Amino acid sequence: MGKALETFNLFPSLAEIKKPIKKHTIDTVELTDDPKAIELWDVCLQLIKDNIGDQMFKTWFAPTKALRWQEDVLVISVPSQFFCEWIEEHYFTLLRKVVSQVLGSKARLQYQVVVDKGKSSLEDRAITLPALRNPPAPTSGQAALPFINTPQAVQHYPTYLNPRYIFDNFIRGDSNQLAVSAALAVSDSPGKTKFNPLCIYGGTGLGKTHLIQAIGNHIVQNNRNLRVFYTNSERFTIEYVNAIQNNKVNEFTNFYRSIDVLIVDDIQFFSGKEKTQDNFFHTFNALYQSGKQIILSSDKPPKELRGVDERLLSRFQWGLTVDIQPPDYETRLAIIQRKSADEGFEVSAPVAEYLARNIGSSVRELEGALISVLAKVSLDNREMSLQLAQEVVKGYSQTIPQQSLTIDDIKKAVASYFKFTLEALEGKTRKHEIVLARQVAMYLTKQMTQLSLKSIGANFGGRDHTTVLHSCEMIENYLKTDKTVQTAIEHLSKRFGY
Ligand code: ADP
Ligand code: MG
């Protein structure tokens, strides 16, 4: 079975990224069955199956096939490049764990994109991508510290920027225009605009990470002498704790102070981590005073972040704080067209319009729905039809789009989860279980809607805003210790697509 093979490096230079994939050389190779590879991958698949839903497994993992097992590298085939990017983006942590458990800690996975001639009219091509790349972006307690044990680390360190996140493939619309303009200004003159720090906030899946990394990638490409570093508040915290444990706080501090452009994603997770905040405060000051650029992202406006020190919050607002809103219909349509074109597909107008009209809350979901459609067309030989789009959207519509989520939706869901009536939830009863359910409802309303504490109180039987604040704080405390509350919040958040 002859296949076309195209080698493609996931971390090429940024200039190379912009070249269309088709410019790479195409050779022909034989794909042979390797029983050992098949056996090992089967064990991995079992573990993966146990950890993700059936539907997800069927869509993303069932079509994979083990090709080779050689020198600690397991090569698996996937049906498209988008496919492996999706797998990497969504199942990176799980795959790392599974691969290291089944194949050993040194093992790596490599994807080979194999388009079967018999199944698709697409150009026949195969692309090898290094997966579970080394060093991985640390996500767990064993975070790799770029500044420890490597004397040359100051010169050679991973930026943790994903080269896929660039301005060129970030679709602009009214919902993100201001954020993009600010991001471009900062990219062109890091540290030299009024936008320092630049803080971009907005709901999940709206492109914050993409945009702040695009700034980093742009700067790396255009100012090779500037040291750019991307991290998130969780990783910063883990590294800091590790540094304390290993007596490396000085190295930690020196590393961060040597950065010219520091990008910190998801600063909301600094909440409640006082010591880390204190260290970040000093890092921030040192960088700011020497004219270095700081870029932050958050899921809400900094002034609304609870559990973060006032002096840090005020600094976050020194520069420019700008939001990204959910994309409007035209932008959603443009995103679908661009993403499918990048994948070498043409999505018919009715399908594109149907997806754009029905999936509105996040670009991530929109992308997910589009990929499901493309996967079904290329893997199951399905026709690109409105019916297919409807089927796919059905899987998404169990979640209520965040924009249209009302306090009544939340109250009803909480009442039904805890098996109380709405009246009980809104009423005066001080029974512990009902008080808890009421606090959960207030907390979720605060998290998921734009309502002020005052109006939430008013919607819960005319309670004072301090009662709402107290409820939110209580739930935040319970979330650290109480399994019942953790489960309830997790279940209800999922129900609302959070
Ligand atoms: P957030 O960090 O806000 O949760 P991400 O930046 O991770 O969101 O975006 C989720 C996905 O949607 C990513 O794959 C990203 O590339 C894509 N995306 C978001 N906004 C846009 C956009 N305006 N144009 C193109 N892709 C986008
Ligand atoms: Mg993000």
Side-chain angles (χ1 to χ4, degrees), residues 398-410:
Q398 288 137 0
T399 59
I400 299 168
Q402 290 160 29
Q403 295 150 302
S404 58
L405 190 62
T406 67
I407 190 163
D408 284 336
D409 294 328
I410 297 175

Side-chain angles (χ1 to χ4, degrees), residues 204-205 207-210 212 230 265-266 297 364:
T204 177
K208 301 183 296 296
T209 298
H210 187 141
I212 60 177
Y230 167 87
D265 210 348
D266 291 322
S297 89
R364 189 176 288 125

Side-chain angles (χ1 to χ4, degrees), residues 89 164-165 169-172 176 203-211 335 339 363-364 367:
E89 175 145 352
R164 195 167 74 81
Y165 292 145
N169 57 14
F170 193 80
I171 308 290
R172 294 164 210 191
N176 58 31
T204 177
L206 296 184
K208 301 183 296 296
T209 298
H210 187 141
L211 197 53
I335 289 173
K339 298 226 181 242
V363 181
R364 189 176 288 125
E367 214 172 62

